[in-house]
């Protein structure tokens, strides 16, 4: 009989040889535009903290206050006794903020997507997924045991044909709103129209759109001036909103069904109240002052204008700006060269992106100064020359 450890060793060796073995960097600072990692100060273009809220004084104060009033752990799943006042208030705030009737707080975006898809889909359902969707939408579809149909990225003709050919009792289209490794935005009005025509749910994952898209950062629904009772909207709190967790929002009917049935909701401890309170504070901040969102938009525009001649730069209007290098080695060596200059820009490699499209993935933040953006662009231009 084979030693099961041998297969694991062989797997790790294969990762190593393929340049695909990942290593973590230990941060000795808060998440911010400037961080300290491995004793070294770095200008950070790697985080999803798009608005610089992860260490914002308002969010810190809200978290401290929640700890003082509600303690650290929630102590139970939400349906047992873990749903505290800050969770309830956060849900009401999210619903208002994104303009949907009701919202439900989850422990993470990953758990939320598993919860949505396993609640709405079963063995008799068809789930249609964009090829470039985030892994957790795919995992949710797989776990639901529905038939999973992956359509070519953003190919809505192909999606329309697949929907027309489906005779499933339940149809669900699942799409990233902002594609996490490319930064492009899904055509939500066209997706809504298709879902209405073919009686399907539209699950929209706005992890990278909330706080980023729309003039006031309300996300893809504001950006596309679009709403529909078909939409099941998911947005995370751990990216632009600077906290942790996620919410699912939509019609009262579908949110109530998810609350009753979603296993990641029912069988998992509620978020700490401080995470909910910090996320609420982020929404208050954005409602009072759209200046933070506008600062991010200004940095995106500055980067795009300065970097337009870089080979491999993909079209993106969001905080995610990919520059395709090709092989994992090419992306890694470009990332290492930037690191030597104190610039942290991650190399993204398979399986996160398709083979042959390894890339540098620049994440911009409202907390970057114009000089930070200029410094990055000139380093990228020199590296490419
Ligand atoms: C980060 C991310 C998630 C997962 O959210 P977490 O709260 O980090 O679990 C889901 N979908 C997309 C598109 C993401 O980028």
């Amino acid at each position: 009989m084979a030693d099961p450890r041998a297969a694991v060793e062989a797997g790790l060796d294969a990762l190593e040889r393929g340049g695909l073995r990942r290593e973590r960097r230990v941060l000795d600072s808060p998440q911010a535009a400037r961080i300290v990692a491995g004793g070294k100060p770095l200008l950070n273009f790697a985080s999803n903290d798009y608005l610089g809220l992860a260490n914002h004084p308002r969010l810190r104060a809200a978290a401290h206050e929640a700890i003082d009033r509600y303690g650290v752990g929630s102590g139970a799943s939400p349906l047992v006794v873990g749903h505290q006042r800050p969770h309830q208030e956060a849900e009401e705030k999210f619903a208002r903020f994104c303009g949907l009737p009701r919202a439900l707080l989850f422990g993470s975006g990953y758990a939320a997507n598993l919860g949505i898809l396993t609640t709405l889909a079963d063995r008799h359902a068809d789930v249609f997924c964009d090829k470039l969707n985030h892994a957790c939408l795919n995992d949710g579809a797989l776990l639901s045991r529905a038939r999973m149909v992956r359509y070519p990225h953003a190919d809505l003709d192909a999606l329309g044909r697949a929907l027309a050919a489906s005779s499933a009792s339940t149809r669900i289209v699942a799409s990233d709103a902002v594609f996490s490794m490319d930064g492009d935005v899904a055509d939500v009005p066209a997706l809504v129209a298709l879902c209405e025509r073919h009686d399907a749910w539209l699950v929209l994952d706005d992890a990278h759109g909330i706080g980023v898209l729309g003039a006031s950062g309300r996300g893809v629904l504001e950006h596309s001036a679009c709403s529909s009772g078909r939409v099941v909207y998911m947005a995370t709190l751990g990216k632009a909103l600077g906290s942790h967790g996620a919410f699912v929002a939509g019609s009262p009917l579908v949110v109530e069904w998810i609350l009753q049935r979603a296993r990641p909701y029912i069988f998992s401890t509620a978020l700490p109240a401080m995470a909910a309170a910090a996320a609420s504070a982020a929404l208050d901040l954005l409602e009072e002052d759209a200046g933070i969102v506008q600062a991010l938009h200004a940095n995106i525009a500055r980067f795009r204008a300065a970097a337009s001649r870089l080979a491999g730069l993909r079209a993106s209007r969001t905080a995610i700006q990919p520059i395709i290098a090709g092989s994992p080695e090419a992306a890694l060596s470009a990332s290492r060269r930037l690191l030597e200059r104190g610039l942290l820009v991650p190399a993204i490699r398979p399986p996160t992106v398709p083979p042959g499209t390894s890339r540098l993935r620049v994440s911009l933040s409202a907390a970057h100064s114009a000089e930070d953006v200029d410094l990055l662009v000139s380093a990228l231009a020199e590296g490419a020359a």
Side-chain angles (χ1 to χ4, degrees):
M1 264 200 277
D3 181 344
R5 287 172 298 187
V8 174
E9 266 170 28
L12 285 171
D13 285 347
L15 290 180
E16 188 73 49
R17 281 195 309 278
L20 297 175
R21 182 159 177 167
R22 324 267 288 245
E23 275 182 36
R24 295 172 304 171
R25 186 180 307 282
V26 180
L27 251 68
D28 293 303
S29 71
Q31 197 60 260
R34 283 181 175 67
I35 55 173
V36 178
K40 212 177 142 179
L42 294 172
L43 190 50
N44 183 8
F45 292 98
S47 94
N48 306 313
D49 181 25
Y50 301 127
L51 297 175
L53 298 185
N55 189 39
H56 192 283
R58 277 277 289 273
L59 275 73
R60 291 169 58 124
H64 280 136
E65 196 193 317
I67 289 172
D68 289 344
R69 293 181 65 171
Y70 297 95
V72 177
S74 72
S77 66
L79 294 183
V80 177
V81 67
H83 185 66
Q84 295 168 302
R85 182 61 56 193
H87 303 92
Q88 179 64 29
E89 285 172 357
E91 289 181 349
E92 290 165 12
K93 244 175 213 166
F94 298 138
R96 268 205 313 280
F97 186 75
C98 63
L100 290 166
R102 190 174 174 197
L104 184 68
L105 197 53
F106 271 79
S108 73
Y110 196 110
N113 279 341
L114 294 192
I116 295 168
L117 288 166
T118 55
T119 300
L120 296 182
D122 61 16
R123 282 184 298 118
H124 308 291
D126 283 350
V127 179
F128 304 86
C129 294
D130 187 290
K131 261 265 167 64
L132 295 189
N133 274 354
H134 192 265
C136 62
L137 284 172
N138 293 339
D139 292 354
L142 290 170
L143 191 60
S144 76
R145 295 186 286 174
R147 189 172 73 104
M148 183 177 169
V149 181
R150 297 180 79 198
Y151 58 92
H153 177 51
D155 186 343
L156 299 193
D157 292 335
L159 172 60
R161 286 192 298 276
L163 280 165
S166 166
S167 56
S169 52
T170 302
R171 282 176 287 280
I172 301 172
V173 175
S175 180
D176 283 18
V178 174
F179 289 87
S180 55
M181 295 301 137
D182 294 75
D184 57 327
V185 181
D187 184 347
V188 171
L191 285 169
V192 164
L194 273 178
C195 287
E196 286 182 347
R197 184 165 338 128
H198 295 284
D199 263 329
W201 290 110
L202 176 58
V203 176
L204 280 177
D205 176 340
D206 207 18
H208 299 277
I210 190 85
V212 173
L213 289 177
S216 54
R218 282 162 212 268
V220 77
L221 298 177
E222 179 187 17
H223 169 83
S224 52
C226 184
S227 196
S228 159
R230 305 272 167 174
V231 169
V232 181
Y233 179 76
M234 194 290 289
T236 60
L237 310 180
K239 289 174 174 147
L241 297 182
S243 181
H244 188 91
F247 67 91
V248 175
S251 70
L253 184 79
V254 77
V255 172
E256 179 64 18
W257 186 231
I258 290 168
L259 183 157
Q260 297 296 333
R261 299 302 296 264
R263 294 166 68 87
Y265 189 72
I266 299 169
F267 296 109
S268 188
T269 301
L271 279 176
M274 63 178 155
S280 285
L283 299 189
D284 290 343
L285 200 64
L286 298 195
E287 281 185 330
E288 285 163 28
D289 176 14
I292 300 182
V293 177
Q294 283 154 14
L296 171 63
H297 292 174
N299 279 344
I300 295 168
R302 189 176 186 94
F303 178 85
R304 297 288 310 170
S308 61
R309 281 197 300 277
L310 286 179
L313 181 70
R314 283 267 171 102
S316 158
R317 298 157 66 190
T318 63
I320 301 165
Q321 296 289 332
I323 302 159
I324 307 298
S327 68
E329 294 78 13
L332 266 182
S333 74
S335 174
R336 287 203 188 105
R337 282 197 302 274
L338 291 168
L339 194 61
E340 281 160 16
R341 306 173 66 151
L343 302 169
L344 181 60
V345 181
I348 309 285
R349 296 159 278 164
T352 311
V353 292
T357 70
S358 289
R359 64 196 66 187
L360 290 174
R361 178 174 178 267
V362 171
S363 294
L364 297 169
S365 162
H368 290 127
S369 67
E371 293 70 35
D372 295 341
V373 174
D374 294 348
L375 190 69
L376 172 66
V377 175
S378 59
L380 286 168
E382 283 168 36

